[in-house]
Amino acid sequence: PRIRYVVSGCLAGLACRYDGGSNPCAAVIRLVEEGRAIPACPESLAGLPVPRLPCELAEGSVLSRDGRDLTEDFLRGAQLALRTAQSRGCTAAILKSRSPSCGFGRIYDGTFSRALCPGEGVWARLLREAGFALFSEEHLPPELGGKGEGED
Ligand code: SF4
């Protein structure tokens, strides 16, 4: 099978989430097992530790809950993850919704209160600008039975 998708590592079951957890999505795990998708976590590729403090995007900057500016780290990880996806021939992505790296459509609003605002994560933006089709675990690609691209 051809690798078409790059997927958020946490959706593939990798324990790369800030709190050491994951967000396993059965359809995504199946794609990886079938050799049709590769997982990547931009925050791990940036060298950020697990666990780490949660981060949110506010006015273009990535801030961790203690106020540190991690914008450069997130950008570096996102660029590495984009390059990984491109080098493997991926043209579409299935991304964890709401994340400051992977979310698109609506993301956490920077207040660490679970509130959402329109926006896109750092990696999602790079993927979109590079021409990738973007999907999420809540809007899976039509070939996986989802409704396709769209907002939450
Ligand atoms: Fe999942 Fe993306 Fe966050 Fe990594 S950066 S834990 S892949 S949502």
Side-chain angles (χ1 to χ4, degrees):
R2 205 167 68 80
I3 299 173
R4 169 157 191 245
Y5 298 98
V6 64
V7 300
S8 292
C10 57
L11 292 180
L14 304 182
C16 48
R17 209 171 64 185
Y18 74 93
D19 60 359
S22 67
N23 305 95
C25 169
V28 169
I29 291 170
R30 203 172 318 122
L31 277 182
V32 174
E33 286 173 353
E34 290 170 353
R36 298 165 65 200
I38 55 159
C41 171
E43 294 176 29
S44 298
L45 286 167
L48 296 170
V50 178
R52 56 188 175 273
L53 283 176
C55 292
E56 294 195 3
L57 253 177
E59 291 170 16
S61 296
V62 180
L63 300 177
S64 73
R65 203 174 50 200
D66 63 356
R68 276 194 310 145
D69 188 330
L70 294 181
T71 309
E72 290 301 315
D73 299 270
F74 271 56
L75 196 53
R76 191 177 66 249
Q79 285 164 339
L80 285 170
L82 170 63
R83 248 176 274 144
T84 299
Q86 288 175 320
S87 72
R88 300 293 299 274
C90 303
T91 55
I94 306 176
L95 301 175
K96 174 72 188 79
S97 59
R98 298 181 286 279
S99 149
S101 289
C102 296
F104 62 93
R106 291 196 302 164
I107 59 172
Y108 292 122
D109 72 352
T111 61
F112 295 95
S113 63
R114 314 294 291 175
L116 301 174
C117 67
E120 60 187 349
V122 178
W123 189 33
R125 178 174 60 82
L126 294 191
L127 288 165
R128 180 180 56 75
E129 289 173 352
F132 280 64
L134 301 188
F135 304 95
S136 73
E137 81 282 18
E138 296 176 357
H139 294 275
L140 289 167
E143 67 168 321
L144 301 181
K147 294 193 299 279
E149 294 185 62
E151 298 193 357
D152 296 333

